[in-house]
Amino acid sequence: MLIVLSLFTSCDQMNENDTTLNNAAPSKSYKGKAIAHDFDDKIDSLILQMTLEEKVGMLHGTSMFNTAGVERLGIPELKMADGPLGVREEISRDSWAPAGWDNDFATYYPAGGGLAATWNTRLSYKFGNSVGEETRARGKDVLLSPAINIIRTPLGGRTYEYFTEDPFLNKKLTVPFVVGLQENDVAACVKHYAANNQETNRDFVDVQIDERTLREIYLPAFKAAVVEANAYSMMGAYNKFRDEYLCENNYMLNEVLRDEWGFEGVVISDWAAVHTTVKSLESGLDIEMGTPKPFNEFFLADALIDAAKSDKISEEEIDKHVKRILQVMYTLKSMGATDRKRGSINTEAHFQDAYDIAAESIVLLKNSNNILPLNPEQLKSIAVIGNNATKKNALGGFGAGVKTEREITPLEGLQNRLPKSININYAEGYLERYAPKSEAVFGEVTQEAVNTIDKLEPEMLEEAIQAAKNSDACIVFAGSNRDYETEASDRADLELPFGQEELIEQILEVNPNTVVVIIGGGPFNIKGIKEKASTLVWSWFNGSEGGNALADVLLGAVNPSGKLPWTMPEKLDDSPAHATNSFPGDKVVSYDEGLLVGYRWFDTKDIDPLYPFGYGLSYTTFELKNARTDKKSYSGEETIMITVDIQNTGNKDGKEVIQVYSTKNDSKVDRPLQELKGFEKVLVTAGQNTTATIAIPVKELAYYNVDKAAWEIEPGNYNLRVGNSSRKIISELSISVE
Ligand code: BGC
């Protein structure tokens, strides 16, 4: 069987629900529909009829998530909703309090880390499309998603929400997500543009990044969201970039986003991220959203009316922004059409989508005694230990969650999937403890909390030990939750909270038949656990069906195929932002590691990670053989076709992610040791052989030449390293570029 798989993502958008990966789908790129211009004349005539006040009403929040419409002209409000985990519950018009609806339940989808760990672009499309249907069904125009900032530090409070440390994986997931979402007559709002890579001091920190690093690491996914997916909106970030707030950053908004990339949509501020009136609008911001003050006091509200009246800003400038918003509204068919999609929400089909993503996201880190998959036929009892077995994560912490009627916990998943004859002995094991409420910033764990209350309760520990002792097998569910990893603060360190490490050690002593499952959004220090436990699984804040998907992996109904979307360091100081002592900065944070973000740092500096980027095991084994390119020499316009045979050498069907990293030894510019340039996930049936082809356009090998302000393909030799993780390369192919 020959599968042609492309870097441009391999599928026919008509056939997106097929994620089986075993049909010979011809390569096709995801491409979003551009902003419509059919109504431009109509829009111009509408603007002519609008008062200054009506125009300004469209440029700022007039409720928590809406901007004003103009009823007499048939212009509706522009309605937005969070966010990355699914459509957020309805919020009151003028405060963060829930609106108290009883029909605002939605599907809780896996968080960004989970989606990224699937390394499956079809699932990304499916996610976008599914949540797009929900957005529409809730009557919204804009979903504040996807969140795609690069994971620079493992401590990042929003690592769980973002995708990855790698710009290539990031853009390959972003494009289908946005395309799928926007096919539902709703806009994506891609966030947070840009360089919003930490929560500490996010409201004011000035991020300094050299131009090449900006272009090669931090911008590619945003650019692809615009150029390939045609995202209709972008969210301006809180922080500053090169001394200018991102919502008034002429370079980033006007020069890069609009002039270079051709963005025609609207830039919406993050909530309360605006600091000026004239400067913001002239620098490219279109809509100010936020909260802390009355809506008319926003910078783009009364102050803008005053500025226009006193000639500090021209009415043509204001019209320009109003026109963009109206163009988006016509494109979304919120005006000028009667056939707008209606969507659907909280449906079995969407829970199934959430399940499909979760099932491919779970990463098998270690299975050295082949304890997994558990065989129920050989078990009479299982101890299920840990607060995370019952913890729900749809809501929690600071920031957007989802009000859902379904969140299957890990314990419920096991109860659903195990035969009733098996006794489940549950023990909570540890208590979640946080700093005293008066001192805590939501789920933030202060150093004081770590020192003083990161202790196990003796009775709970004893109960857990007894459960483990008296059961044939044991699963410990540890890790974090969305109170612990949260927007608005970064973690203090990488340690597992709540005394979990001690708990796990004690359990392992009494029952060696123990599986440790870590549920988290970002890396933790699990070095000690890796050494002591034979069996280690990584799962995520994994959506409505997370518990069922996890149980299916643990019991073997699903063969794990998730791969880490970031590097798990052995210790914090090994990772680049910390090794270079350039996190979190104070007023200024300078990204001193430059291009060497994530595995680029570990590989170039020859530092062993605990688990490398792209790593994940399966219940079967794969042999990659016979990697070859279609030619030896290519022009800059050509595409390199890499073919590789994959033999499933075990007795279970399984999916493997073939990864291709490029290196250029004699480059005239500094380059990371290797960089991901192509990947594909393939299904290989037990005992069978499959041939996969990965297409890498030569232009993917370009670097950003700062002097020329252009991407440049260096001629000469390149090595393409084919493997199944950044540290497991089975073949190195040499090609040359003319
Ligand atoms: C977050 C955004 C979010 C917005 C509205 C901000 O605090 O940074 O991601 O969309 O709030 O809830």
Side-chain angles (χ1 to χ4, degrees):
M1 151 171 65
L2 176 78
I3 308 181
V4 179
L5 298 156
S6 161
L7 241 200
F8 279 123
T9 53
S10 52
C11 44
D12 185 343
Q13 281 170 32
M14 303 303 291
N15 196 15
E16 283 305 333
N17 283 335
D18 176 19
T19 52
T20 55
L21 311 176
N22 62 349
N23 58 337
S27 307
K28 226 180 177 186
S29 57
Y30 289 89
K31 183 79 192 161
K33 257 198 358 239
I35 295 273
H37 286 283
D38 322 20
F39 294 93
D40 282 3
D41 292 344
K42 168 91 187 143
I43 289 171
D44 289 337
S45 92
L46 277 176
I47 291 175
L48 279 174
Q49 299 169 63
M50 289 169 75
T51 65
L52 175 64
E53 286 73 12
E54 285 169 338
K55 293 174 190 173
V56 168
M58 293 183 66
L59 303 185
H60 67 91
T62 50
S63 72
M64 292 292 289
F65 282 87
N66 297 353
T67 55
V70 184
E71 217 180 320
R72 66 181 185 92
L73 297 175
I75 304 174
E77 292 184 310
L78 185 72
K79 304 181 198 71
M80 312 175 200
D82 273 312
L85 309 184
V87 185
R88 186 178 191 164
E89 74 184 305
E90 195 64 23
I91 302 292
S92 305
R93 284 187 74 88
D94 55 7
S95 84
W96 284 106
W101 290 12
D102 56 13
N103 60 350
D104 57 347
F105 294 102
T107 302
Y108 159 39
Y109 293 88
L115 173 64
T118 69
W119 287 60
N120 187 336
T121 55
R122 299 179 189 214
L123 285 175
S124 195
Y125 174 88
K126 179 183 266 202
F127 189 155
N129 201 257
S130 188
V131 74
E133 288 179 344
E134 301 225 335
T135 309
R136 196 69 280 290
R138 273 278 288 286
K140 304 299 179 188
D141 303 302
V142 182
L143 187 73
L144 307 173
S145 176
I148 62 164
N149 294 94
I150 285 283
I151 292 160
R152 175 176 182 250
T153 162
L155 299 180
R158 298 182 89 164
T159 298
Y160 78 88
E161 211 177 349
Y162 298 148
F163 291 162
T164 171
E165 66 187 23
D166 178 75
F168 184 81
L169 179 59
N170 206 22
K171 78 174 173 184
K172 288 297 155 190
L173 293 167
T174 297
V175 170
F177 188 105
V178 171
V179 170
L181 177 66
Q182 295 193 157
E183 280 172 6
N184 293 289
D185 299 333
V186 292
C189 183
V190 183
K191 65 192 190 183
H192 309 84
Y193 183 73
N196 179 185
N197 311 96
Q198 65 186 52
E199 295 303 285
T200 311
N201 302 341
R202 68 172 181 177
D203 291 333
F204 56 82
V205 73
D206 177 17
V207 177
Q208 297 286 336
I209 312 179
D210 70 86
E211 190 66 16
R212 189 171 157 214
T213 300
L214 177 72
R215 299 293 182 145
E216 292 189 20
I217 304 288
Y218 294 96
L219 293 188
F222 288 104
K223 180 179 178 185
V226 173
V227 175
E228 295 170 43
N230 268 306
Y232 301 142
S233 76
M234 285 274 176
M235 185 183 287
Y238 282 121
N239 47 295
K240 288 179 180 168
F241 175 70
R242 295 186 190 150
D243 205 25
E244 302 276 13
Y245 282 108
L246 262 316
C247 288
E248 53 183 56
N249 197 305
N250 187 62
Y251 178 65
M252 294 293 277
L253 300 182
N254 280 334
E255 293 182 25
V256 176
L257 182 62
R258 291 193 189 276
D259 298 348
E260 273 187 44
W261 301 347
F263 178 68
E264 291 194 299
V266 297
V267 177
I268 300 169
S269 77
D270 202 338
W271 266 233
V274 179
H275 299 265
T276 51
T277 300
V278 174
K279 186 175 179 196
S280 294
L281 213 62
E282 289 183 347
S283 301
L285 182 73
D286 299 301
I287 295 177
E288 176 187 11
M289 296 303 291
T291 34
K293 49 190 179 187
F295 299 112
N296 67 308
E297 290 176 22
F298 280 23
F299 289 97
L300 300 192
D302 290 356
L304 180 56
I305 296 173
D306 293 346
K309 286 187 174 156
S310 55
D311 287 334
K312 294 200 182 85
I313 193 162
S314 69
E315 201 151 337
E316 291 76 60
E317 177 69 34
I318 292 176
D319 291 353
K320 190 170 85 185
H321 301 273
V322 172
K323 185 167 182 175
R324 286 177 188 155
I325 297 167
L326 287 168
Q327 282 171 331
V328 168
M329 291 172 86
Y330 275 103
T331 305
L332 301 178
K333 300 183 177 174
S334 87
M335 295 178 71
T338 50
D339 60 343
R340 191 177 195 191
K341 296 215 169 120
R342 306 173 74 92
S344 54
I345 192 163
N346 192 27
T347 62
E348 277 309 319
H350 291 174
F351 291 133
Q352 181 66 42
D353 294 338
Y355 172 88
D356 291 345
I357 299 158
E360 283 202 24
S361 72
I362 295 157
V363 185
L364 180 61
L365 294 174
K366 188 175 179 190
N367 195 20
S368 52
N369 291 350
N370 289 322
I371 290 180
L372 288 177
L374 295 170
N375 181 353
E377 280 168 19
Q378 290 169 1
L379 301 172
K380 291 204 182 65
S381 56
I382 293 190
V384 171
I385 292 170
N387 172 291
N388 262 0
T390 57
K391 178 77 183 174
K392 297 197 175 191
N393 287 304
L395 296 168
F398 181 94
V402 174
K403 177 172 150 189
T404 187
E405 283 179 322
R406 184 180 306 177
E407 179 176 356
I408 308 289
T409 64
L411 178 60
E412 287 165 348
L414 287 166
Q415 287 163 340
N416 291 341
R417 300 305 206 238
L418 280 169
K420 297 288 165 264
S421 57
I422 295 184
N423 251 340
I424 299 180
N425 300 315
Y426 172 67
E428 190 179 355
Y430 64 87
L431 280 180
E432 281 177 60
R433 302 178 188 242
Y434 301 98
K437 279 277 178 248
S438 58
E439 291 164 31
V441 183
F442 295 89
E444 187 186 1
V445 178
T446 62
Q447 195 54 47
E448 187 205 335
V450 172
N451 295 341
T452 56
I453 52 177
D454 197 12
K455 295 267 184 305
L456 294 169
E457 292 287 321
E459 314 80 65
M460 289 179 78
L461 175 61
E462 187 50 32
E463 185 197 13
I465 289 174
Q466 289 310 321
K469 258 191 192 160
N470 297 326
S471 305
D472 298 332
C474 174
I475 312 174
V476 186
F477 292 95
S480 71
N481 58 55
R482 286 196 50 241
D483 291 311
Y484 191 82
E485 288 182 66
T486 174
E487 182 184 327
S489 60
D490 296 310
R491 277 184 283 152
D493 58 40
L494 282 185
E495 301 314 305
L496 280 174
F498 317 135
Q500 292 175 359
E501 186 152 356
E502 190 193 334
L503 171 71
I504 293 168
E505 280 169 8
Q506 301 238 18
I507 298 298
L508 285 169
E509 271 179 28
V510 297
N511 193 336
N513 213 15
T514 290
V515 178
V516 178
V517 180
I518 306 286
I519 294 170
F524 277 85
N525 176 5
I526 52 169
K527 188 169 189 280
I529 293 170
K530 179 190 176 188
E531 278 159 14
K532 293 186 189 96
S534 68
T535 319
L536 197 47
V537 173
W538 189 276
S539 190
W540 312 89
F541 306 142
N542 234 353
S544 285
E545 285 282 330
N548 284 336
L550 190 48
D552 284 341
V553 165
L554 296 172
L555 301 173
V558 169
N559 191 350
S561 65
K563 302 275 179 179
L564 291 178
W566 31 250
T567 306
M568 185 98 68
E570 272 208 3
K571 53 185 192 302
L572 185 61
D573 283 349
D574 286 349
S575 54
H578 302 271
T580 55
N581 199 17
S582 55
F583 170 87
D586 182 10
K587 291 198 175 75
V588 178
V589 56
S590 160
Y591 290 10
D592 291 344
E593 72 283 6
L595 294 169
L596 302 185
V597 176
Y599 68 88
R600 285 165 167 76
W601 172 268
F602 286 82
D603 296 345
T604 308
K605 302 283 178 192
D606 200 15
I607 300 165
D608 284 335
L610 191 67
Y611 286 110
F613 174 77
Y615 171 87
L617 302 172
S618 165
Y619 295 149
T620 188
T621 42
F622 299 99
E623 205 178 312
L624 275 54
K625 286 184 297 207
N626 202 14
R628 62 241 182 232
T629 53
D630 59 332
K631 300 203 299 174
K632 287 281 157 240
S633 177
Y634 299 85
S635 75
E637 296 308 309
E638 285 182 303
T639 292
I640 307 162
M641 304 298 282
I642 297 174
T643 318
V644 59
D645 300 334
I646 310 139
Q647 171 89 35
N648 182 334
T649 46
N651 54 12
K652 242 180 187 303
D653 298 354
K655 292 177 184 173
E656 182 56 303
V657 179
I658 314 299
Q659 303 164 35
V660 182
Y661 297 83
S662 77
T663 71
K664 178 143 185 57
N665 297 329
D666 56 354
S667 178
K668 67 177 186 204
V669 294
D670 286 341
R671 292 190 189 233
L673 182 85
Q674 59 173 0
E675 300 178 86
L676 184 71
K677 295 296 175 189
F679 66 88
E680 269 303 343
K681 194 164 197 176
V682 287
L683 172 72
V684 198
T685 37
Q688 296 297 304
N689 192 51
T690 285
T691 301
T693 302
I694 300 177
I696 302 183
V698 171
K699 64 177 186 332
E700 284 292 348
L701 303 176
Y703 78 97
Y704 189 79
N705 184 323
V706 178
D707 295 336
K708 295 185 185 159
W711 290 89
E712 185 170 312
I713 305 169
E714 251 189 298
N717 294 331
Y718 291 80
N719 285 353
L720 299 172
R721 301 154 62 103
V722 183
N724 61 2
S725 93
S726 57
R727 291 286 173 117
K728 191 156 180 223
I729 302 298
I730 55 102
S731 182
E732 195 150 340
L733 308 169
S734 174
I735 58 118
S736 70
V737 173
E738 288 150 15

